[in-house]
Amino acid sequence: MEDTSSQKSGQSRDVLSSIALEESPADFIRVKLEEYEPADFSTKDLILKKAREVCTCSHQAIITFFCQLFPVLDWLPRYNVKTQLLGDVISGLLVGIVAIPQSISYSLLASQDPIYGIYTNFFCNIIYVAMATSRHNCVGSFGVLCLMIGQSVNRHLQLAGYSDDNTGSSLVGNSTSFSNGTGACDRSCYAITVALSLSFLVGLYQILLGVLQLGFVAVYLSEPLLSGFVTGSSLTIITSQMKYLLGLKIPRHEGVGSFILTWVDLFRYIKNTNICDLVTSLVALAVIVPVKEINDRYKEKMKAPFPIELLVVIVATVISYYCSFEKRYKSAVCGDIPTGFRKPTLPDVNLFSSLAVDALPIAVIGFAMTVSLAEIFGKKHGYAVRANQEMIAIGMCNLIPSFFYCFASSAALTKTLLKESTGTQTQVSGLVTSLVLLLVLLWIAPLFYSLQTSILGVVTIVNLRGGLRKFCDTPRMWQLSKLDTVVWWTTMLSSTLITTEIGLLVGVCFALLCIIFRTQRPRATLLGKVSNTEIYEDQSTYKQLSSIANVKIFRFESSLYYANKDYFKTVLYQKTGVNPILLAAKHQRVEAKANADTSNSKSFFGTGFDCLKPAKKRAEKPPADACPPSIDMHTLILDCGAMQFIDTVGLSALKETRHDYKEIGVQVLLANCNPSIRHRLQEGGWAGKTDSGGQLAFHSVHDAVQFAERWYHVQQENKEKKHAHLDPEDLNFQVSL
């Protein structure tokens, strides 16, 4: 019986919104909500609880752990061959066909031999199939990452003393000269050593972010920021590929201003243009671009896009081989592309210290693109995506392949869109893509010996059309949000004119500053009442709103903290038209002047004319500058509905505001405070010792208005009662007259 009664009493205390109606002395009915008692929070108990969950070892826990780490164990047993296999095979074949020329061309962008691009796309697809939660992402070489990898590789090649003589002439050095520390390492060997060491660090960063549950870091890369970064990187990529289209040998430029310096050199050496490469590039552009546009325009009607890139690569290779472009016109070609796989190798630990900083932005961009694409297609097709698992998956796609001569990769936008549009159902299509690349690795790769590098440059540039189209979206973006447009242009220009890494950092910092600026100088308005309702809206936005007599309702559309507390006071005084500090100073000056006049009159007339003082007070009118300034309000209501939090400085600002207005006879009320703000008010002693903060903080603006009107009515009644009883000295004075 005692247990039952205790349970009932406990339930009665835990009612969600137990409403008590209180009647104030002014007969104002006020709603007070009973809150839950705060639960006891112990950091030690929480840590111990989490530790027990992690360290619990059982058969089911082990199965759950491996199913979460390798999602393929969860969905592969339920794979439906009849309904899903056909779509996966077709999609995988088409993506593999597109991946062949892209793998070779993006290797050029990363300053690597073509074979390493094929390695990268082969290995990362296999690993991603086993560890991904996304069904539609296609991972592999991505243009922006390849650009950043190439910049880091070129910088280390220059530091190591390797010349740039073969730039633009042959992509490969002697690929068979790679040695594991026993012999000399040529330029190609050192380039892939730097790239695979960089890939190892990138994968390590991404796995750590996933294990530590730091997937929220991606939210700081907003869509305008990423879009501007991709567009700026696209311009840099196009600039770096122009020398291949023109067949020029120009010095490489790294660091700040490389974009402008490269274009200066292009015009400086343009007289040395290789006509064969130029004509080949123009013909390839004239063929690929229109077909790609047709593919985009009629993609809903076409079962599969036409593989124009692969066709152009094959035709160009055949023509270059039979016409001997390399010997007759000195055209740059791919050269020897070995077949098969190479023995695994270890990253160069000595390079980690110099590559640690370069790996960080590559890791961030890589997982940001992977997670964002996974979430987009997950929402579109109605399945859940785990961001932290996606980070671990892409981290493994960079860490493990680094032992097999691969550079960093991520989800690729163009191949992911192609994969989704051609009917893929699961990541089995990734295995089919890897099989296509395996054929290239084992037998087909040497056939691309005569492929011109200008064709690879064209393939790279054509795939950047999406990034360049973002320029057309900026007018619409300006109409929607001017601040987001400024973030886009700032990130794009800094990524282009400075460097990609610094551009990304500038974009992130500028976007964060914009957020701070928005909260530091937010919108602030006075509210009016919608007729015959309890709704209060912005008077500067909506028409036909009625003001409450002698009551000002002020809304501050941001949290109140140390950075905007001065602006809060400034805009409050401006909107209400009442500066309590200045009015209090005027009151003091008026009182001081009145006291001075009184003392002067006493000293001049003496005590013999004391009987005439009451009559003199009634006869003389005070001068205009001696009258205290009038105020057209008796109550100020602060609508806190848009405030998420207030810090200690913001609380002090509220208390100062209440004190200043109280000095001039204006009471300050709060409305629409969320529970955290109400607790902060109670703990900070907002209403002084007489109340814990609830008396002057109301649950709605309408409640505060009703309280203010009733309070003013009671104050007026009290004044009238006082005036009805004349002072006895005044009565004696009138009788004597």
Side-chain angles (χ1 to χ4, degrees), residues 246-303:
L246 301 175
L248 294 177
K249 297 180 181 179
I250 61 174
R252 291 183 181 272
H253 297 284
E254 303 294 336
V256 179
S258 60
F259 177 84
I260 298 176
L261 293 175
T262 302
W263 279 104
V264 170
D265 283 343
L266 286 173
F267 285 105
R268 180 185 300 172
Y269 295 99
I270 198 170
K271 60 183 178 181
N272 300 328
T273 300
N274 188 305
I275 302 301
C276 179
D277 287 337
L278 177 61
V279 173
T280 305
S281 302
L282 293 177
V283 172
L285 282 171
V287 174
I288 295 177
V289 172
V291 177
K292 297 279 283 186
E293 291 294 331
I294 292 174
N295 286 340
D296 292 341
R297 181 169 296 183
Y298 299 102
K299 60 183 178 181
E300 296 180 355
K301 298 181 180 179
M302 300 172 64
K303 294 183 179 180

Side-chain angles (χ1 to χ4, degrees), residues 440-455:
V440 177
L441 286 170
L442 296 179
W443 295 290
I444 303 176
L447 300 179
F448 293 108
Y449 176 93
S450 299
L451 177 61
Q452 294 170 271
T453 56
S454 59
I455 297 296

Side-chain angles (χ1 to χ4, degrees), residues 319-340:
I319 295 175
S320 175
Y321 175 76
Y322 284 104
C323 295
S324 301
F325 285 168
E326 182 185 11
K327 295 179 180 178
R328 296 173 61 181
Y329 303 106
K330 305 299 180 183
S331 291
V333 296
C334 288
D336 274 326
I337 303 179
T339 58

Side-chain angles (χ1 to χ4, degrees), residues 482-484 486-487 490 507-520:
K482 294 178 174 58
L483 210 54
D484 285 345
V486 174
V487 171
T490 301
V508 171
C509 294
F510 186 77
L512 293 177
L513 287 176
C514 289
I515 295 175
I516 295 174
F517 176 78
R518 285 176 174 176
T519 59
Q520 191 171 357

Side-chain angles (χ1 to χ4, degrees), residues 613-688:
K613 285 181 182 179
K616 186 176 181 180
K617 287 182 180 180
R618 290 177 174 82
E620 294 182 358
K621 292 184 179 181
D625 58 351
C627 295
S630 59
I631 304 173
D632 62 346
M633 69 172 180
H634 57 73
T635 301
L636 171 64
I637 300 175
L638 302 180
D639 182 5
C640 304
M643 294 184 184
Q644 295 180 347
F645 68 91
I646 56 173
D647 63 359
T648 54
V649 179
L651 178 61
S652 298
L654 284 179
K655 294 169 72 173
E656 291 172 3
T657 301
R658 179 174 177 270
H659 175 269
D660 293 340
Y661 275 101
K662 185 177 180 181
E663 291 294 319
I664 60 173
V666 177
Q667 71 167 345
V668 178
L669 307 178
L670 303 183
N672 287 332
C673 298
N674 62 46
S676 63
I677 293 181
R678 297 177 71 90
H679 292 162
R680 178 59 60 88
L681 295 174
Q682 293 173 1
E683 294 171 359
W686 150 255

Side-chain angles (χ1 to χ4, degrees), residues 170-312:
S170 176
L171 281 174
V172 294
N174 186 0
S175 297
T176 59
S177 67
F178 194 99
S179 61
N180 295 325
T182 59
C185 183
D186 65 356
R187 187 178 189 278
S188 173
C189 158
Y190 191 73
I192 188 58
T193 302
V194 174
L196 65 89
S197 301
L198 183 64
S199 178
F200 180 86
L201 289 177
V202 169
L204 188 62
Y205 287 158
Q206 292 171 336
I207 292 172
L208 288 176
L209 289 173
V211 171
L212 298 176
Q213 306 288 305
L214 297 178
F216 66 89
V217 176
V219 304
Y220 294 103
L221 302 178
S222 64
E223 183 178 350
L225 188 150
L226 279 177
S227 176
F229 176 75
V230 170
T231 302
S233 301
S234 300
L235 294 176
T236 305
I237 293 172
I238 292 173
T239 301
S240 68
Q241 299 300 298
M242 288 302 298
K243 62 183 178 183
Y244 300 113
L245 271 65
L246 301 175
L248 294 177
K249 297 180 181 179
I250 61 174
R252 291 183 181 272
H253 297 284
E254 303 294 336
V256 179
S258 60
F259 177 84
I260 298 176
L261 293 175
T262 302
W263 279 104
V264 170
D265 283 343
L266 286 173
F267 285 105
R268 180 185 300 172
Y269 295 99
I270 198 170
K271 60 183 178 181
N272 300 328
T273 300
N274 188 305
I275 302 301
C276 179
D277 287 337
L278 177 61
V279 173
T280 305
S281 302
L282 293 177
V283 172
L285 282 171
V287 174
I288 295 177
V289 172
V291 177
K292 297 279 283 186
E293 291 294 331
I294 292 174
N295 286 340
D296 292 341
R297 181 169 296 183
Y298 299 102
K299 60 183 178 181
E300 296 180 355
K301 298 181 180 179
M302 300 172 64
K303 294 183 179 180
F306 187 75
I308 185 62
E309 295 166 319
L310 182 62
L311 179 62
V312 168

Side-chain angles (χ1 to χ4, degrees), residues 132-181:
T133 59
S134 173
R135 303 173 190 171
H136 295 85
N137 267 5
C138 181
V139 296
S141 51
F142 179 51
V144 176
L145 293 192
C146 290
L147 171 67
M148 301 171 75
I149 294 166
Q151 290 175 343
S152 179
V153 169
N154 292 331
R155 185 162 55 251
H156 282 79
L157 287 173
Q158 292 178 358
L159 292 175
Y162 288 95
S163 63
D164 200 31
D165 296 337
N166 63 338
T167 301
S169 60
S170 176
L171 281 174
V172 294
N174 186 0
S175 297
T176 59
S177 67
F178 194 99
S179 61
N180 295 325

Side-chain angles (χ1 to χ4, degrees), residues 554-592:
F554 177 77
R555 175 188 289 167
F556 192 68
E557 298 183 354
S558 174
S559 299
L560 183 59
Y561 65 112
Y562 67 94
N564 61 11
K565 57 105 175 176
D566 292 330
Y567 178 75
F568 169 78
K569 290 184 178 181
T570 301
V571 73
L572 173 63
Y573 301 159
Q574 178 185 353
K575 292 293 183 179
T576 59
V578 177
N579 189 329
I581 299 176
L582 296 180
L583 287 178
K586 289 182 180 179
H587 277 291
Q588 291 178 358
R589 288 198 300 268
V590 169
E591 292 177 358

